[in-house]
Amino acid sequence: MRIGIIGGGPAGMMCAIKAGENHEVVLFEKNEKLGKKLFITGKGRCNLTNYTDEKDFMKNLVRNPSFMFSSIYSFSPFTAYYYFEDLGLPLKVERGNRVFPASDKSSDVIRAYEKKLRQVGVEVRLNTEVTSIKKDGETFILNGQEKFDKVVIASGGISYKLTGSTGDGYKFGKEFGHKIIDPKPGLIGINLSNNFDLAGLSLKNVELRVEKDKKIISREFGEMLFTHRGISGPIVLTTSSKINRLNDFELYLDLKPALSKEKLDSRILRDFEDNQNKNIENVMRNLLPRDLISYVLDSAKISGDKKINQITKEEREELVKTIKNFKLIFASLDDIDRAIVTSGGIDVKDIDPKTMESKLIEGLYFIGEVMDLDGLTGGFNIQIANSTGYS
Ligand code: FAD
């Protein structure tokens, strides 16, 4: 059997390796090298997977986790770990079970795939863009000339287009009657309309909360930072993936999530008692990052030069409320081209989760990020690519 695979990212490479053991495989990659996106993952270190079990893996998927059930059990994160070590790639596990190559070099991960591709005899065609897929009877014809019995689309999503992921798979999918779930940016910064001048300020141990109709939609605790456009950092990226299909919601920052309102109030009272004649702006330095104080006081409608002994009980209550519910005004998610992952893509309802074969077109397969699947940060997206590629 002759199989054509479109896209030399982790999904396409893994699939080519597996299929290459028993079939004649051609892997098409439009770039001059394989794994261009993989190269920039994990800030050049490649967070290859997460050293965790299948159940925990599923909790870190955003769209269609149940679709992954079968493929994650056939190629689990633990399997991936030992698979790559067996390929001669020593790995290490860091905070949050994140798995990286021991060398800290994503190029070593790409080299491991390449070595195995050579071993199983896959024909890799670089600088070769697939521009058309036609089906004539049982046969697929790529670029009007090459014939294949099966075709696998592993062309990735539509973010970081310079790496080659330009959404070609959506076009091919559509031509074969597949539904495309509107692609949205996932794991991306959030742009704000607040008039902040806080770029570079990073916050630890804060909680970013999303509310819609007074209900809490998402609540993420940890680190974030202010950018020129708004906010970014771990809890912001996670939040972005959860709200990218949501309208009319509100964003709040709890600047002291470890303290209840009552505890925060007692803490502020204590600070106030010790500093009766000082300006509130100065006293707040015990509690909040200096750059943030004027914004919090403005929001609580308290003048920064007011002396502590003039602060009313109502003002103090308003201050507590503001620190627990510091309002961020959502403008938009940052541009999809800067998204770590694309949420949306080929609707998985029309794909067999065991084999990744199209339910509409026999012999046509979709794997990796081109499908409507995305995970959180921590190595989950490359694992999706590898598990679906292996299936
Ligand atoms: P891709 O890696 O996008 O590969 C698709 C390939 O198909 C590309 O090489 C493209 O050139 C090729 N192609 C497309 N169309 C055609 C065509 N018509 N003809 C021929 N070739 C074609 N995930 C993690 O798990 N851990 C991380 O540390 C991590 N860090 C990231 C950091 C950044 C900055 C970014 C942008 C993403 C990161 N991700 C990370 C996400 C991860 O890189 C992707 O989810 C993963 O690469 C998807 O794999 P894929 O094989 O499906 O698609």
Side-chain angles (χ1 to χ4, degrees), residues 298-316:
D298 270 1
S299 184
K301 299 191 177 59
I302 304 170
S303 166
D305 55 12
K306 205 163 184 182
K307 296 272 181 271
I308 293 292
N309 56 24
Q310 292 165 351
I311 303 277
T312 64
K313 182 167 176 275
E314 288 71 30
E315 281 174 323
R316 202 186 72 234

Side-chain angles (χ1 to χ4, degrees), residues 6-9 28-38 40 128-130 154-169 172 337 369:
I6 302 164
F28 294 91
E29 171 51 59
K30 65 177 164 191
N31 290 321
E32 69 293 355
K33 56 185 174 191
L34 294 171
K36 218 167 175 179
K37 184 173 275 181
L38 203 55
I40 59 166
T128 312
E129 179 173 357
V130 174
S155 53
I158 199 170
S159 48
Y160 277 77
K161 293 185 194 67
L162 277 179
T163 64
S165 325
T166 50
D168 298 9
F172 297 136
D337 198 40
E369 202 180 307

Side-chain angles (χ1 to χ4, degrees), residues 38 46 66 109 126 167 354-355 365:
L38 203 55
C46 184
S66 58
V109 178
L126 299 175
K354 288 202 176 83
T355 61
Y365 296 75

